[in-house]
Amino acid sequence: MPAQKLDGKALAATMRGEIATQVKARAAAGKRAPGLAAVLVGEDPASQQYVKNKHKACHDVGFTTTVHRLPATTSQAKLLALVAQLNADPAVHGILVQLPLPKQIDGEAVIRAVAPAKDVDCFHPENVGLLAAGHPRFYPCTPHGVIQLLARNGISLAGKSVVVVGRSNIVGKPLALMLMQKPTAANPAAADATVTVAHTRTSDLAAVCRGADVLVAAAGVPEFLTADMVRPGAVVVDVGTNNVNGRWCGDVHPGVWDVAGWVSPVPGGVGPMTITMLLHNTLAAAQQIDG
């Protein structure tokens, strides 16, 4: 029997409806709409599409949103000046600087320049540190999307063996933190799981993956996770987004659907949830800044 689908597109629509309801309640109370400012440097087609999708999602839930488009030749000083301007703008609650940035710009310096209270991607070292300590200001968008996709499909993670394949600062590391931590009032999305972080250099990676109740593929390698690496009935979350000869695919091979119990598709799985959690963080930022 083929695996059940972890439908991120449908869940994202539900959660965006919940966010829109909260935005309407803020408006009724006379409070400012959450505002997100996106910064796009250069003409990268994938980045342009991502920003377009985020802009539309903001509009759909009642946020105010602006997109600042800068040429690929923009200097680091000019980009940092724009970030400083957005930090000081009371109508902006969240700042998104679309990555990757052109080679002449130090991306780490830009990440550090965003005010932590407006860092709705949760990339700033201060926010990463708060997450590691179990007192998150925000949750990183893709990891939080993964957690919500599982939780809202009734998949309990407490005590389960979870293998995360990938160790990036954007997905692998923060997701492992969220999965391993104990839930508290300050950290409600923590999952109480037993976590292994693996990667493409892990010895006998297939055996490590087969030991997982829940397997998260976030290595950025097209269709590397094959059916022989998955325990029958396991839950598989595909975080990969790869364009191969004009076709979008994930890190999970199609054959996995014949073995696993649940699988998230690409597209339509984690991707819509990532944008939804960006909206969630922007609303949270507005509540923290404006009340």
Side-chain angles (χ1 to χ4, degrees):
M1 180 181 296
Q4 297 184 71
K5 180 170 71 171
L6 289 165
D7 192 339
K9 185 176 180 180
L11 178 56
T14 297
M15 295 188 71
R16 291 180 196 187
E18 295 169 0
I19 292 169
T21 297
Q22 293 181 68
V23 172
K24 289 178 182 176
R26 285 180 60 82
K31 296 180 180 179
R32 193 195 317 261
L36 178 69
V39 180
L40 178 61
V41 185
E43 303 294 333
D44 179 73
S47 292
Q48 290 189 65
Q49 186 61 48
Y50 293 150
V51 169
K52 179 180 177 181
N53 291 344
K54 292 167 184 175
H55 181 78
K56 181 181 184 302
C58 285
H59 180 268
D60 289 347
V61 298
F63 288 7
T64 62
T65 178
T66 55
V67 179
H68 299 265
R69 301 180 186 275
L70 302 176
T73 55
T74 296
S75 68
Q76 180 167 315
K78 185 172 181 180
L79 177 55
L80 291 175
L82 174 59
V83 170
Q85 175 187 327
L86 297 174
N87 283 340
D89 187 344
V92 173
H93 301 102
I95 300 170
L96 163 70
V97 180
Q98 185 65 43
L99 303 176
L101 292 166
K103 293 182 179 180
Q104 76 274 14
I105 295 175
D106 179 356
E108 184 63 29
V110 175
I111 288 170
R112 289 174 178 269
V114 175
K118 297 187 178 186
D119 169 41
V120 289
D121 270 329
C122 196
F123 290 165
H124 194 286
E126 180 178 312
N127 288 332
V128 174
L130 288 169
L131 175 66
H135 299 279
R137 175 184 278 123
F138 306 115
Y139 290 115
C141 300
T142 298
H144 197 191
V146 170
I147 297 285
Q148 289 293 327
L149 189 59
L150 295 170
R152 294 216 182 192
N153 278 282
I155 298 170
S156 173
L157 295 172
K160 299 292 181 61
S161 173
V162 182
V163 172
V164 179
V165 185
R167 50 185 169 175
S168 72
N169 289 337
I170 295 175
V171 181
K173 291 178 186 177
L175 178 58
L177 286 170
M178 293 177 68
L179 288 166
M180 74 169 68
Q181 289 175 341
K182 182 178 181 178
T184 64
N187 193 12
D192 246 354
T194 300
V195 184
T196 299
V197 177
H199 45 81
T200 53
R201 297 296 299 275
T202 298
S203 296
D204 201 355
L205 178 60
V208 173
C209 291
R210 283 193 297 270
D213 300 311
V214 178
L215 184 56
V216 181
V221 180
E223 299 182 353
F224 89 94
L225 189 78
T226 52
D228 64 304
M229 300 170 72
V230 179
R231 175 193 296 176
V235 178
V236 178
V237 180
D238 191 350
V239 180
T241 305
N242 310 289
N243 192 302
V244 180
N245 298 321
R247 177 181 67 91
W248 290 103
C249 66
D251 288 0
V252 174
H253 189 277
V256 168
W257 286 77
D258 296 325
V259 177
W262 294 82
V263 181
S264 69
V266 175
V270 174
M273 293 301 298
T274 295
I275 296 176
T276 301
M277 303 328 295
L278 176 70
L279 302 176
H280 177 276
N281 283 353
T282 304
L283 175 60
Q287 292 168 335
Q288 292 170 18
I289 292 170
D290 290 348

